[in-house]
Amino acid sequence: GGLEVEVWSHLPQGSGLGGSSLLAGTLLSAIVVLLGHPAPRPSHLIHATLCIEQWLTTGGGWQDQVGGLVGGGKLGVSSQGTPVTVSTYNIPLSHTFVTSINQHLLLLYTGKVRLARNLLQNVIRNWYAGDPTITSCFSQLRELALRAAGAMLHNDLEMLGSYINDYWSLKKMVASGCEPTMVSKLMTTLQEHCLGMSLAGAGGGGYLYALKARPGPLADSVDLGDLTSDCVEVDQEGLELWVAGEAVTRATEDEDVLNHETLMALLETKNKRFL
């Protein structure tokens, strides 16, 4: 007896794109339905996937499953205290803005394998030690996420690119060593051709993503050497579960929609909590 499951992914190991979280969430959702239960709500699936990752000692949090299991633009916010709960807000994106993002998106595999768990363990140690640099960076990262959501809400591609650059600067302060020399040289080469860029995940290798300054193939204006860019676009659907050819659920069913008033309230909460 038992159950045999086959999974596969086109992503290389250590890509930084959250493949382990996405496989765990997809498998969990499928097995729940296979056992005769209703498909899990996105909020429950996000938390359950986090538990699986911790049991498997892969580290990480809930950001990968929010980013990959939920489609379109989204903002994930965790509550203060324990147990951790995650609220997911859908960011309405116009067809024109999605098309613009797709035309400007760049995804490059650096060829370097990232060691996320080691980086994350160092960050957690510094957090528990009360390192003022780390705690200050976390506060700034939270505000930056909210402002990036605002840039998407207002269809501002250039502002979003600048926030991506700010994010990577803060990430380097939080996780020392997350930008190898080879990646630094690559980013210097790409700088004048991109609105913003960062390594995916915890850094240290894997994929580099960027918003190009102009649409079209980057190879027309810069020599990438042996590196090639992957085709990439915004996934509007997220996780889809099908049984016998019929769609059972999509992981966007219980999202709140982000608007200007909600965003201002979240920023105000941030100011009261951290400042």
Side-chain angles (χ1 to χ4, degrees):
L3 178 67
E4 180 177 320
V5 180
E6 294 184 5
V7 298
W8 63 93
S9 171
H10 295 294
L11 294 175
Q13 187 177 14
S15 68
L17 296 180
S20 61
S21 298
L22 303 187
L23 284 175
T26 301
L27 275 172
L28 182 61
S29 185
I31 291 173
V32 165
V33 172
L34 180 64
L35 294 176
H37 302 290
R41 293 164 58 102
S43 56
H44 296 166
L45 183 59
I46 287 166
H47 183 74
T49 302
L50 170 62
C51 293
I52 290 174
E53 293 249 72
Q54 299 305 314
W55 290 334
L56 295 177
T57 71
T58 55
W62 46 258
Q63 67 284 342
D64 289 339
Q65 48 267 43
V66 170
L69 298 177
V70 180
K74 80 284 296 185
L75 172 68
V77 179
S78 63
S79 60
Q80 188 177 28
T82 55
V84 173
T85 57
V86 179
S87 300
T88 306
Y89 295 91
N90 172 265
I91 305 175
L93 303 177
S94 68
H95 176 74
T96 301
F97 189 56
V98 171
T99 300
S100 180
I101 291 178
N102 289 339
Q103 291 173 341
H104 286 80
L105 270 176
L106 173 69
L107 190 65
L108 289 174
Y109 184 58
T110 65
K112 293 188 67 65
V113 176
R114 57 191 278 279
L115 299 174
R117 183 166 58 181
N118 295 344
L119 286 169
L120 291 170
Q121 286 176 347
N122 288 334
V123 171
I124 295 300
R125 289 191 189 101
N126 291 333
W127 169 265
Y128 277 120
D131 186 324
T133 300
I134 299 298
T135 55
S136 174
C137 279
F138 278 13
S139 176
Q140 293 177 68
L141 282 167
R142 184 184 189 277
E143 179 174 0
L144 190 60
L146 296 173
R147 298 200 178 279
M152 297 179 68
L153 196 61
H154 295 97
N155 298 340
D156 194 331
L157 199 65
E158 290 190 12
M159 186 61 69
L160 180 60
S162 71
Y163 287 147
I164 292 174
N165 280 333
D166 293 341
Y167 165 79
W168 183 240
S169 296
L170 288 170
K171 177 66 74 67
K172 288 189 290 184
M173 294 176 65
V174 170
S176 176
C178 68
E179 183 181 290
T181 302
M182 172 267 183
V183 173
S184 297
K185 293 179 179 179
L186 176 61
M187 287 185 163
T188 299
T189 300
L190 295 175
Q191 188 170 12
E192 63 179 287
H193 304 282
C194 295
L195 300 173
M197 71 186 90
S198 172
L199 287 184
Y207 274 94
L208 178 147
Y209 67 93
L211 287 176
K212 295 175 291 186
R214 292 176 295 277
L218 190 66
D220 294 344
S221 54
V222 60
D223 182 12
L224 297 175
D226 296 332
L227 302 179
T228 56
S229 59
D230 290 270
C231 294
V232 59
E233 61 182 25
V234 176
D235 175 19
Q236 296 282 61
E237 305 299 337
L239 173 66
E240 295 180 71
L241 189 62
W242 296 70
V243 176
E246 182 178 348
V248 176
T249 185
R250 289 178 177 171
T252 54
E253 293 176 352
D254 62 353
E255 287 182 290
D256 292 321
V257 177
L258 187 70
N259 54 38
H260 180 75
E261 291 73 21
T262 302
L263 182 61
M264 290 299 101
L266 289 170
L267 281 167
E268 180 64 22
T269 301
K270 179 267 168 194
N271 291 333
K272 289 180 179 178
R273 183 173 298 170
F274 291 102
L275 301 180

